[in-house]
C-alpha cells in the first residue's frame, strides 16, 4: 500500500483542460504554456522551454503558415505570452528539473501532442457528455493529455517527498509524427540521466494493470509521396492529362500488397490521401502520407525499400513524377528488466493495482525509443511503463478516452519508483 | 466587315477584374455584384438578380459554412451590399432584359463561375506577369471571365444599335458543377425566348476561328462517393480497422477500367480524392468526387450504372459502407443548323475572323444543354457558338488564358447575329 | 431477281463439316485439305497451297510442338496426305484461280481459322442439337466456316457462269491472330488484282441485310507480356519471392484504365492470363495475351504506347522483369464506295435480300485491311461486304451460329457482283 | 558416435530414381510402387497399400482424367501392375509395419508427392548435370524424394537392429495440397502409435544441423476461386462482356492487401491464375488457386474470411459470379519437447552432426500436424524433426536440391532415436 495520498481532482481538471484544447505535433503552443504554468505553480529548480529543449533538425514539421495559424489561435485562447514567445516557429515542449540533493538523476518522459482527427460527438463519449470535448478540431485520441497530468502529478509528489537526487520531467512534443524525440534526445538534457521512465496509458490494458517493461516496439518510418501529373479537361481532353490520382490509387493498392516477411511483423499504412481539385479536371497532384513499420529496424527497412519501389513504379505507370520523403524514423528498442523490476515491486503496494505484467510487447511504434537508446548508450537504464486504463474506443479512434482513476495510479507508481531508486539502484 | 467598332478597353479591364477575383459555383457573390454594376451602368429595362432567376433545387450546393465564407470575403472585398443581399445563401446569377420594340425575343447565355483550382505563378502566364492573377485561390481556368465580358459587351452594343425586339442576357452561375442551368431554365425567364445563343471561348480553336453550331455535347453526371470504415492504430491494431482509403483506391482503379462502349464515346474521372487524418491511423473516411459522361444520355447512364457497381463492390471488399450521390446531370444536345447559319453569315464580315466552321463536336459537357432543350422544346431555336482564342494551356489547367482580342470578336459576332435576326428569322 | 439458282445443300454440308472440325490460326491443316478437295472437285486453272501463298514472316505463330500436334490430329482425322505435305510447319491456306478469258482480275478473300475456345453444349445451340458441334476443342465462333462455304460456292458458280476475266479466291489463314493477311498480301498473288471483295457474315446484321461497304475498321495490335519473377515458398519465405502474378494483376487493372482518347474509339483487352504452378509457390512467371485497338492507326499506337508503359511499370513495381511483344498489327482501312455500289446494285435483285446498307462501321478489327490496302495502293478498288445472318450469340461467344440461308445469299450477291464487273467497271 | 554404419549408396540411387520420376499429389503411382518394391525387398510383417491406408474424403483431388493420365504414364513407365491395381483412382501411399516383440509402437511419417512445376535445366543444377532431372514435368522441389529414401533406410536399419517394439512407417501422399494426412490419420493405422516422428529435410538448415522439435507450423487453407463472366468480342462489343479476368485481377490485388494482424503471422498467396481463351475475346472464365495461412488457426480463419470477402466483391465489381472453395485445411501444431529431447540426445553421437537445435519455428505449413494431433489427442507424443541439408535453391524453386549426405544423417538420427525409445520412454 502506498503511504501517500495523491490529490487527484486538480489533475483531472488539468487533464480535461488539456483534452479540451488539443494541438497536433509542433503546434503544442497553448499546451506547452499550460504545462509551464503548472510547473511554475509547483516551483522547480530549473525550467527549459522551446528552443532550449530541442537540438538539430525537427522532422515532419508543418509549413510556416500552418504553424502560424495555431500560434495565433493559442494567443487568442489566452495562452501566456511570455511562454509563447519562446515557442515561436513551432519550438514546443519543456523540461522541468528538481534538484533535491545527492542521489541518482532520474528522467520521466511524457509526450504532449494530439492527433489531427475529429472527436466523437456521441453522448456515450464522456468528453462530449461532460463538456470537455475538443474545441480545436484535433483530438487527444492517444491519451497524451493524461500523460501530461501524470507528469505534473509526479513532479509535485516527488517535490513534496523525501526523494534525494535529481528529477527531470521531459514534456516531449511531436511524438505522433516521430518528430520530437530525436531533437530532445540531442538537446543535452538527457546526457546525465541514469534512469529513464517513459509511460503510456491504455494499450489495451485495463485500469489496475501495470506493465513494468513494455518492449517489442516496431521500428517505423514515415513515407510521404507527392505525385505530379498534368491537368486536363476530363471530358474534352481525357488523353491529355497525366492522372496523379490514378497513380496514387495504384500505389495504395500495391503498398498494402508488399509481401509479408518471414522474419517477423511488418506494417504499412496509407493514412492520408489528398488529390485533385474538381470532378471535371484530371488531377495534376496527389499526395499520400503513409508509414511502414517492422519488428526490427531491418524489417522496417525492407518495407521502406519496397514502398519506394511501389510508389515510383505507380508514378511511372501513369506517366507522373513523384517525390518520396521518408523522414520520421524511430528505431525499435527494449526495456531494461532491472529497471522494470523496480516498477513491478512498488506497483504491488499501490492502491487499485491488481495485475502486474513484467513485460509485454507494444506492437506499435514510439519515438521514446530515441530517448531510451540515448540513455542506454551512456550506460543508463530505461523502461517504458504501461499504465492500464479502461478505454472504450481504440487508440487513435474518435471514441478513445481514459478512465481518470488510472491517472492517480500512474502518479503513484511512478512517484514510488522514483523514490525507491536511491535505495535500490539496479 | 462589321460596321460598328466595339470599345474594347473597358471590356478587357472588366475581364481582368473578374479574372482577379474568381469565385467557384454558387459562390459568385462579388462576381454577380460586379456584373450587376456593369448592367446598371449600361441601363436596362428589367434586371433580375439572385433568387429571382432561379427556381427549384440547386444541385451540387456547397455547405452553408463554405457559402458563408465566400459571402463574407465578397463583403470584405467591397462588393455592393444591396446586390449581395439578394444573393444570400448562394443564390447567384442575374438576367438583364432590353426591350427595344417589336421583334423577336433573343437570349444570350454566359456562365460566370470559376474553378476551385490554383493558378500558375509562372512569369510566362500573362495574368501573373501583368498582375491580374487570381487572388482568391480559385481560377477562371475555363474562360468564363471572358464570357461575362462578352455578355456585357453585347448588351451595350445591342442597346446602342438599331435592333428591334427583346434581348435577355442570362448570367448563369454554377456551370462547372452542372448546377445552375436547370434552376435558371425553370425560372420562367427563358419561356418566351425564341432564339438562344450560348457561347464558349477557346475549345482548341484559335483566335479568328468561329464555330457557328457546336454539338456533340457529352451527357454528364457527377458521381460522388463517401466511404465509411473504422479507424484503428495502424501499428498496434492493423486488423481492427476497416480501411476507407483501401476501398477508395480499389474503386478508383476499377472506375477507370469500366469497359469502353461500342456505341460511342464515354468518359470517367475521379477528380478529387480525400481520405484519412494521419499516417498512423487507418482511415475511417474517404471521399471521391468524380463524374461520368457519354456521347448520349444512354451511354452516360451505362457509365453511371457501372460506376455505382464498382464503388459499391469496392466498399464491400474492404468491409466499409459507402454513400453514392449522382446529382448534377446534364443531357446531350445539338445546335440548330438554321440558327447556326445566321452566325456563320454575319461572322464572315467581322474583322479578324478568318475561319468559320458550321459545326464541330465539343467532346465535353455543358449544362447549357438544359437551356437549349428548354427553348427547343417550346419551338425555339438554339445554337452554341464557339469563339476561338489562342489559349496557351488547356481548359481547366493552371496556365489557361485567353487572347483578349477574341473578346472583341465575340461581341461583334453575337451583336451582329442578334441585329440580323429580325430580318432573317430562320 | 437473280437469274441463277445456287445449289445450296452441298454448301451447307460443307459448312457443317468444317464447323465440326475447327482449327485455330496456323493450324488449319484438315481445313485447308478440305477446301483443296472442294476446289479440285470444281476444277480450277491454277491452285496454290501452303508455302506457295505465303511470303515473309508469319506473326503469332504457335510453337513447333503445338503445330505438330494439330498436324498429327489432321492426319489421324484422314486429311489428304498430299495436301498436308504442303502445309507442314504451319504453312496453311490456299489460292484458287479461274481464268475465263479477257476481262478484269477479281479477288475474293475468305478467312479459314477458328478460335481457341469451347463451344456450347446447350440443346438450344443448333450445332449441338444437330450433331455438328466442334470435335477439336476449338470453335468456329466467328463464322469462318460459312465464309469458306461461300468462297467455294462463288468459285463454282462463277466457273459455270458467263463471267469473262480472272477470279482468284484467297483462302486466308490466321485472321484471328492478325497473322495471315500480311504474308498472303506479300505472296505476289494479289499484285494483279484490280477489284477485291472481302466478306464477313453476321456483324449484328440480320439475315437478308447486306452491307455493301464496311468501313471503320479499328487498327489493332497484339500486346503479349511475359513477366518473370522468382519463386519462393509462400508460407516459409514470402518475402523472398518476386511475384509475377502480382505484377500481372497490377498490369491488368491499369491496362483497362488507360485514358479514353478525345479523337475517337479505343479498345484494350487482356484476353488470356496464365501464371504460377501451385497454390503454395509464389509465381515466378505469368503471361498476358492482350490487344489494343484504335479507330485510327494513331489511336491504336496511343494505346500501345500506354500499354507498354503500364506493363513495364507493373513489372518494376513487383521487382519482376517483363518481355513485351507487340506483333500482329493491322491498319485501319476504308471500303471504296465505287466498288461497294456494284454490290449494292446487284444485291437488290437477290432473293431474300430485303435491306441494303451502303456503308456501316465495323467497330472491330480485321487483317483484311492489309489485302485491301495492297490492292488500293496499286490503283485497284476494294470493298468489305457484310452478309447479314441471324446469329443467336455474339461473335466469339460459345453460342455463336449462323443462319445457313445467308450462305446462299452470300454466294449469289458475290457471284452477281463478279459477273457484273466486266460490264460496269467502276 | 553412432555404432552402426548405414549402407548409403543404394539409398542415394533410390532417391535419384524417385527424383527422376516425380508425381504430384494423388498421382504418386509409380512412386508408391517403387516404395512398395523396396519395402518388399526388406521384408516387413504387414504392408498396407492404397485404399487400405486412407479413410474418408480425399481433399484437393484432381479430376478423373488427370488421375487416369498419370496412372497410364506409370503403367507405361513399367510400375508393378499388382501394386498399381491397389492405387487405381488416386488412392496412393502405403504403411509398412515391423513387429519386433514387446515394446513401444513408434511411427515414422514421410511424405511422397512432388510439385507441379518445372525443374531447372542449368548445368549448375546437380540433377541436370548428373542425369537424374525430372522426366515427368513435375519436380521433387521440396525433398520428398529424400524423405522416402530416409524412410526406407530407417525401416531397413531398424529391422536389422536390436529394437524391441513395433515400427510403422507412413508413406503419406498429397502433402503439398494438404490432402493426404487427414485420410491417413483416420485410417486406423495411427491409433496405437505412442511416439510419432515426422521429418523434413532442409528448411534452411545446413548439412550437419538437426532440429529436434520443429514447431510454429502455420495453419493453412486453400482458397480456390472460379469467376464466371460473359464472353464478347473485345473490339466490336467491349461493353457486352462481363470480364472474368478483370474480376480476378481486382481480387488478386486486394488479396495481397488483406491487413496484417496484430496477433501474429499471416500469409496469403494467389499461386496460380488461369483465364480467358484468346486476346480478342473478353474472358468469360478465370480461376485463382490460392491459400491463406496463420500462426494460429484463428489467424488463418481471419485471413480466409477476408479472402472470401475480397473475392466475392471483386466478382460483384465486374458483374461476374464466383465460386469459392476452401478445402485443404491443416491446423497448427507443436512438437513435444520430451520426445524432441530423445532426438537431441542421440543426434549428438551421429557422425556429421555438428549443430543441434532443440526447437525452431517452421514458418510454413504441413499437414503432418493432423497426424501429430491424432497421436497427441490419444496421449502419445510427437515431434517434427528437421534434418539440415545444404540446398542451393529455396524450397519449391527450380533449383532446389539436397546434399545427399544428409540422407545418411537422417537415417542414423531416426534409427538411433527409435532404438533408444524402449529404454528411455519419455
Amino acid at each position: 500500500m502506498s503511504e501517500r495520498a495523491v490529490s487527484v481532482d486538480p489533475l483531472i481538471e488539468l487533464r480535461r483542460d488539456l483534452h479540451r484544447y488539443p494541438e497536433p505535433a509542433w503546434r503544442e503552443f497553448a499546451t506547452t504554456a499550460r504545462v509551464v504554468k503548472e510547473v511554475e505553480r509547483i516551483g522547480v529548480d530549473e525550467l527549459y522551454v522551446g528552443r532550449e529543449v530541442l537540438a538539430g533538425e525537427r522532422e515532419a514539421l508543418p509549413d510556416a503558415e500552418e504553424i502560424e495559424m495555431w500560434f495565433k489561435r493559442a494567443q487568442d485562447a489566452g495562452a501566456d505570452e511570455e511562454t509563447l514567445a519562446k515557442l515561436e516557429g513551432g519550438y514546443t515542449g519543456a523540461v522541468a528539473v528538481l534538484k533535491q540533493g545527492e542521489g541518482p538523476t532520474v528522467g520521466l518522459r511524457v509526450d504532449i501532442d494530439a492527433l489531427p482527427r475529429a472527436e466523437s460527438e456521441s453522448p456515450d463519449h464522456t468528453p462530449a457528455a461532460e463538456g470537455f470535448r475538443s474545441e480545436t478540431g484535433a483530438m487527444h485520441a492517444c491519451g497524451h493529455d493524461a500523460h501530461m497530468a501524470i507528469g505534473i502529478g509526479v513532479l509535485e509528489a516527488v517535490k513534496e517527498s523525501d526523494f534525494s537526487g535529481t528529477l527531470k520531467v521531459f514534456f516531449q512534443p511531436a511524438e505522433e509524427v516521430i518528430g520530437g524525440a530525436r531533437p530532445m534526445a540531442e538537446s543535452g538534457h538527457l546526457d546525465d540521466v541514469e534512469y529513464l521512465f517513459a509511460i503510456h496509458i491504455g494499450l489495451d490494458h485495463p485500469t489496475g494493470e501495470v506493465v513494468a517493461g513494455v518492449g517489442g516496439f516496431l521500428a517505423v518510418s514515415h513515407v510521404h509521396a507527392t505525385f505530379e501529373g498534368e491537368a486536363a479537361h476530363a471530358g474534352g481532353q481525357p488523353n491529355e492529362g497525366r492522372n496523379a490520382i490514378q497513380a496514387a490509387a495504384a500505389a495504395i493498392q500495391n503498398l498494402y500488397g508488399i509481401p509479408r516477411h518471414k522474419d517477423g511483423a511488418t506494417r504499412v499504412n496509407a493514412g492520408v490521401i489528398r488529390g485533385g481539385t474538381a470532378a471535371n479536371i484530371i488531377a495534376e497532384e496527389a499526395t499520400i502520407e503513409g508509414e511502414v513499420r517492422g519488428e526490427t529496424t531491418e524489417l522496417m527497412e525492407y518495407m521502406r525499400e519496397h514502398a519506394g519501389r511501389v510508389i515510383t513504379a505507380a508514378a511511372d505507370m501513369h506517366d507522373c513524377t513523384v517525390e518520396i520523403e521518408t523522414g520520421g524514423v524511430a528505431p525499435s528498442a527494449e526495456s531494461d528488466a532491472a529497471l522494470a523490476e523496480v516498477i513491478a515491486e512498488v506497483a504491488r503496494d499501490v492502491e487499485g493495482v491488481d495485475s502486474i505484467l513484467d513485460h509485454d510487447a507494444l506492437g506499435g511504434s514510439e519515438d521514446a525509443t530515441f530517448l531510451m537508446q540515448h540513455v542506454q548508450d551512456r550506460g543508463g537504464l530505461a523502461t517504458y511503463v504501461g499504465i492500464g486504463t479502461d478505454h472504450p474506443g481504440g487508440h487513435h479512434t474518435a471514441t478513445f478516452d481514459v478512465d481518470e482513476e488510472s491517472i492517480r495510479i500512474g502518479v503513484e507508481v511512478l512517484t514510488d519508483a522514483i523514490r525507491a531508486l536511491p535505495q535500490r539502484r539496479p
Side-chain angles (χ1 to χ4, degrees), chain A:
Chain A
M1 170 77 70
S2 168
E3 62 204 278
R4 185 188 25 71
V6 177
S7 127
V8 173
D9 286 2
L11 292 185
I12 290 179
E13 204 185 311
L14 172 61
R15 178 255 164 172
R16 292 186 172 201
D17 273 7
L18 293 165
H19 191 89
R20 194 184 296 115
Y21 201 87
E23 294 165 311
W26 298 125
R27 282 151 282 183
E28 309 92 332
F29 298 112
T31 303
T32 302
R34 183 73 168 91
V35 162
V36 162
K37 190 174 144 193
E38 291 298 317
V39 171
E40 289 174 340
R41 178 185 57 74
I42 295 165
V44 292
D45 299 288
E46 294 168 14
L47 173 57
Y48 303 94
V49 178
R51 284 176 185 273
E52 301 162 354
V53 303
L54 301 166
E57 197 78 27
R58 287 168 299 158
E59 288 198 87
L61 202 66
D63 61 31
E65 201 177 336
E66 166 80 5
I67 289 174
E68 183 63 13
M69 188 191 82
W70 285 87
F71 188 80
K72 283 192 178 145
R73 289 174 73 169
Q75 287 181 309
D76 293 351
D80 180 64
E81 284 289 350
E82 202 174 325
T83 304
L84 283 181
K86 297 181 181 165
L87 310 177
E88 213 162 350
Y91 290 87
T92 48
V95 178
V97 185
L98 278 181
K99 295 192 159 175
Q100 309 205 147
E102 288 298 299
T105 299
V106 184
L108 170 62
R109 177 269 201 178
V110 295
D111 41 12
I112 69 173
D113 55 325
L115 282 154
R117 65 154 301 138
E119 180 163 10
S120 173
E121 302 184 21
S122 162
D124 295 343
H125 182 58
T126 306
E130 303 200 2
F132 59 98
R133 186 175 165 271
S134 164
E135 292 170 3
T136 68
M139 177 183 173
H140 271 301
C142 200
H144 299 187
D145 49 347
H147 296 175
M148 287 182 273
I150 292 173
I152 292 296
V154 170
L155 193 70
E156 188 156 21
V158 168
K159 182 174 180 192
E160 291 165 7
S161 79
D162 53 1
F163 169 71
S164 179
T166 299
L167 171 66
K168 296 184 172 189
V169 183
F170 296 86
F171 295 94
Q172 181 211 301
E175 187 275 334
E176 295 290 357
V177 300
I178 323 168
R182 194 203 297 249
M184 193 164 252
E186 293 176 359
S187 69
H189 293 290
L190 203 62
D191 293 0
D192 61 351
V193 169
E194 296 161 84
Y195 304 102
L196 177 69
F197 297 101
I199 59 166
H200 209 296
I201 205 158
L203 307 177
D204 294 323
H205 296 281
T207 302
E209 190 155 283
V210 170
V211 186
V214 174
F217 297 97
L218 299 180
V220 63
S221 172
H222 277 191
V223 179
H224 293 195
T226 303
F227 296 89
E228 296 282 350
E230 192 168 336
H233 190 290
Q237 285 87 25
N239 53 293
E240 288 175 12
R242 292 181 294 113
N243 194 325
I245 283 181
Q246 265 190 304
I252 292 167
Q253 287 257 297
N254 289 282
L255 279 171
Y256 285 102
I258 297 174
R260 274 105 167 135
H261 199 291
K262 70 183 169 77
D263 291 342
T266 55
R267 300 279 186 271
V268 59
N269 193 46
V272 184
I273 168 88
R274 298 274 180 272
T277 56
N280 58 2
I281 305 178
I282 291 171
E284 69 200 305
E285 184 171 303
T287 58
I288 296 172
E289 292 177 34
E291 51 157 49
V292 294
R293 302 181 193 232
E295 199 171 318
T296 62
T297 301
E298 288 68 34
L299 285 168
M300 179 273 283
E301 280 164 359
Y302 159 84
M303 291 300 289
R304 190 167 54 177
E305 184 200 326
H306 274 62
R309 176 185 297 124
V310 164
I311 292 168
T312 303
D316 288 351
M317 188 176 262
H318 294 283
D319 206 8
C320 295
T321 57
V322 68
E323 274 193 44
I324 306 175
E325 283 176 63
T326 56
V329 175
S332 60
E334 283 302 326
S335 289
D336 290 298
L339 187 59
E341 213 177 298
V342 176
I343 292 285
E345 278 171 27
V346 302
R348 258 177 231 123
D349 297 327
V350 171
E351 195 186 324
V353 173
D354 48 29
S355 168
I356 299 167
L357 306 182
D358 287 344
H359 185 267
D360 192 44
L362 180 66
S365 307
E366 244 292 357
D367 68 357
T369 54
F370 276 116
L371 305 175
M372 293 166 72
Q373 283 197 345
H374 193 91
V375 169
Q376 290 166 336
D377 287 353
R378 280 159 186 74
L381 299 176
T383 190
Y384 190 93
V385 181
I387 306 295
T389 201
D390 298 333
H391 52 91
H395 287 265
H396 292 198
T397 72
T399 56
F400 182 81
D401 191 18
V402 303
D403 173 4
E404 288 164 337
E405 169 68 4
S406 58
I407 294 174
R408 182 193 56 77
I409 292 174
V411 172
E412 294 200 15
V413 168
L414 270 298
T415 303
D416 290 356
I418 291 163
R419 286 175 55 217
L421 273 176
Q423 284 73 48
R424 320 190 196 162
R425 298 180 74 135

